[in-house]
Amino acid sequence: MHNTPSDFAQHLYDLISDAHEVPPDDYDHHQWIRPLELPVSTEAAATFDQSIVENSFLQHTKGKRKEADVEKLKRHWEIILLNLVFVMYQRSWLLVPGDSKFYSQDNYWTRRLGLSYRPMKTIVDYLKDSNFVEYREGKAYKDNPVAARISPLPTLTWLLWEYFLEIEQPIEPPYLIVNTPDAGWEEIQSLPQDHGEVLELTQINEFLKGQRWACKAPVQLKYKNNAFQGGRLYTPFQNLPDRKIRLRINTLINDQPIGEVDFNANHLRLNLAFNGGIHAGSTPYEDLADAAGLVGIEKDIRSKVKSFITFAMGSSDKEETRSLCRFNGIDNTQFDALASAAGKLYPKLELFTGWGIFAQNLEGQILKQVMLEGIKKDIVCLPVHDAVAVQQEHLKWAEETMLECWDRQMETRGLARVKVDLP
């Protein structure tokens, strides 16, 4: 048992440190700097400011700067160190652009956080040279350039771990954002304040302000390209690892243990419901594996089928899907067998049409309604992809409410399935 907050923080640190390794260096594991903070006038904020920022880092890097520049450097240290705590637990890289031109642009990071080139360079160089972080140089690829990035090493994590549960991102707009090809994530500015989506996301976030959980931050509705595509609920809590390291499921909501209620084979079921209210059965992934003649370890086979369905529903091109599957361990023979089996078992299932992005939209709407129902009963629900995390005492309520909201959204009955995950 972890009887005190410090015991619990130590438990989470043990989980992450026992499995320490450099995170995968891909876009799914890259995080931009966030406006993180420790609650004002708390003991954690005071010790972090004095013991960590001032004594451990600022004293070694301020040089002969003027007082105003020292304060500016201190603010940069606060931001970067707090973000390194976040990515330490999320098993991600922190993007730290090394191009001076980035900081001269009017973008979110310079505008909201006040970041500038010289303090950033001082900090990154010191962390790198002192062996506090793993460092990767930025690359100017034509289509997908990647910024320089850092990941904390154990030499740094042992200094910072105890602040993790206290760190939060201010819950403030924008709550609806869209990913534009040239500007990254930007606020959807065309919607009036009395628009339904704006009102609902505001209600959710106002309720969450008074709650406590790991990686506390706004819940946003993220669209891809425009407000008709994607529409997934997002909050940094969902980035905590929960496969190799069972970290997320071991966190708390308002100091109480949690569980997660997850929709089963959700995109497949959504598409079949959309195309005529067809029942997928209790075990669609296992049924597909059997029909395709896949053999091997049950867990691995199910994972392959799930990956195939995810890629095949998300891609608009069969050969592109084949390539993605091959990269993820599904060879051409298995791919063809799965495609054939899907056509026979579920002839109305849309594959290779890009329908997955519409499934994300439906999924986001369903989980948003679950969160709104939770507010009525003072129940905190945190979105986790196609699941919600709740206190364990509310798991039964979450199961029933998720099924009800799914039926209401899809105008069907009894086609969804959920499963419960516990620590």
Side-chain angles (χ1 to χ4, degrees):
M1 290 292 293
H2 315 294
N3 297 318
T4 68
S6 60
D7 288 343
F8 181 64
Q10 178 73 61
H11 171 59
L12 295 182
Y13 177 60
D14 289 343
L15 287 176
I16 206 76
S17 58
D18 288 347
H20 177 79
E21 59 183 2
V22 176
D25 189 13
D26 55 40
Y27 287 99
D28 290 338
H29 293 85
H30 291 169
Q31 296 282 343
W32 283 103
I33 299 169
R34 300 177 179 279
L36 302 179
E37 62 186 26
L38 289 164
V40 179
S41 301
T42 61
E43 182 180 351
T47 58
F48 181 80
D49 179 76
Q50 187 64 47
S51 299
I52 303 300
V53 176
E54 290 267 5
N55 297 344
S56 299
F57 295 99
L58 186 63
Q59 291 297 326
H60 301 288
T61 53
K62 65 181 182 179
K64 297 182 179 180
R65 284 177 169 83
K66 296 179 181 179
E67 184 176 349
D69 292 330
V70 171
E71 282 302 311
K72 187 175 184 179
L73 178 63
K74 179 181 178 182
R75 177 58 185 150
H76 279 67
W77 267 117
E78 290 169 350
I79 293 170
I80 297 304
L81 290 172
L82 290 175
N83 273 270
L84 283 171
V85 178
F86 248 43
V87 299
M88 173 176 95
Y89 282 89
Q90 293 175 337
R91 308 298 300 125
S92 297
W93 294 82
L94 183 66
L95 297 175
V96 286
D99 184 354
S100 60
K101 294 179 181 178
F102 175 88
Y103 300 94
S104 63
Q105 299 169 356
D106 180 26
N107 58 44
Y108 174 84
W109 294 275
T110 57
R111 188 169 62 246
R112 172 67 175 82
L113 298 176
L115 300 178
S116 55
Y117 174 70
R118 288 190 178 279
M120 286 294 294
K121 183 175 179 357
T122 296
I123 289 170
V124 172
D125 285 348
Y126 180 78
L127 291 171
K128 179 175 58 173
D129 295 342
S130 302
N131 199 37
F132 282 124
V133 297
E134 182 82 18
Y135 174 82
R136 299 285 167 84
E137 197 73 53
K139 300 291 183 182
Y141 298 123
K142 182 179 179 182
D143 295 325
N144 290 301
V146 60
R149 50 222 177 270
I150 55 178
S151 177
L153 294 170
T155 47
L156 180 63
T157 60
W158 76 272
L159 285 172
L160 303 178
W161 65 267
E162 62 185 291
Y163 300 99
F164 171 59
L165 294 175
E166 305 292 332
I167 299 171
E168 57 187 53
Q169 180 178 336
I171 295 182
E172 59 190 18
Y175 301 136
L176 279 84
I177 57 178
V178 63
N179 188 21
T180 57
D182 57 344
W185 294 106
E186 291 288 343
E187 180 180 4
I188 300 176
Q189 299 181 345
S190 58
L191 296 178
Q193 290 304 303
D194 61 352
H195 186 277
E197 293 276 37
V198 175
L199 292 174
E200 288 177 337
L201 266 295
T202 299
Q203 182 184 0
I204 286 170
N205 280 285
E206 286 298 314
F207 173 72
L208 290 175
K209 284 182 179 180
Q211 318 301 331
R212 297 186 306 282
W213 72 93
C215 293
K216 182 175 179 177
V219 171
Q220 296 173 313
L221 193 58
K222 285 188 172 184
Y223 288 97
K224 186 174 182 180
N225 300 326
N226 58 61
F228 300 99
Q229 294 184 328
R232 301 199 84 172
L233 288 177
Y234 172 78
T235 191
F237 171 78
Q238 63 194 228
N239 290 342
L240 292 173
D242 206 54
R243 291 183 181 175
K244 290 183 179 179
I245 308 171
R246 297 280 286 165
L247 183 72
R248 188 178 65 231
I249 198 69
N250 278 285
T251 62
L252 308 175
I253 293 177
N254 292 335
D255 301 323
Q256 297 299 314
I258 68 170
E260 292 182 6
V261 184
D262 186 0
F263 282 118
N264 171 266
N266 201 38
H267 284 197
L268 182 150
R269 295 183 189 277
L270 286 170
N271 186 257
L272 292 178
F274 184 81
N275 287 326
I278 302 162
H279 203 306
S282 299
T283 55
Y285 291 160
E286 290 79 1
D287 296 344
L288 278 170
D290 289 342
L294 270 58
V295 295
I297 300 172
E298 182 178 346
K299 183 179 179 182
D300 294 341
I301 293 301
R302 189 183 189 281
S303 179
K304 284 190 175 184
V305 176
K306 182 177 181 179
S307 294
F308 167 79
I309 290 295
T310 300
F311 296 142
M313 294 191 71
S315 173
S316 56
D317 181 84
K318 186 173 183 178
E319 292 310 308
E320 177 186 61
T321 307
R322 184 189 296 275
S323 178
L324 286 168
C325 286
R326 191 164 52 242
F327 184 75
N328 284 271
I330 302 170
D331 62 35
N332 285 336
T333 301
Q334 293 172 326
F335 177 87
D336 291 333
L338 283 167
S340 176
K344 292 175 182 177
L345 283 180
Y346 310 114
K348 289 196 174 184
L349 181 64
E350 291 186 52
L351 301 180
F352 319 120
T353 66
W355 199 83
I357 200 164
F358 299 103
Q360 290 179 11
N361 203 334
L362 292 167
E363 201 168 67
Q365 293 300 316
I366 293 166
L367 293 183
K368 176 158 63 69
Q369 292 307 313
V370 174
M371 297 185 74
L372 290 167
E373 292 296 326
I375 292 173
K376 296 176 184 177
K377 295 185 176 293
D378 199 31
I379 295 174
V380 178
C381 303
L382 300 176
V384 184
H385 310 299
D386 59 355
V388 296
V390 296
Q391 293 175 331
Q392 289 179 15
E393 63 180 298
H394 300 309
L395 284 170
K396 187 63 176 177
W397 171 89
E399 289 182 73
E400 295 172 352
T401 304
M402 288 173 70
L403 293 173
E404 289 171 4
C405 291
W406 202 98
D407 287 347
R408 190 188 313 150
Q409 179 70 36
M410 301 309 297
E411 299 180 351
T412 58
R413 188 165 186 82
L415 301 184
R417 294 288 185 273
V418 294
K419 57 185 179 181
V420 174
D421 186 27
L422 290 167

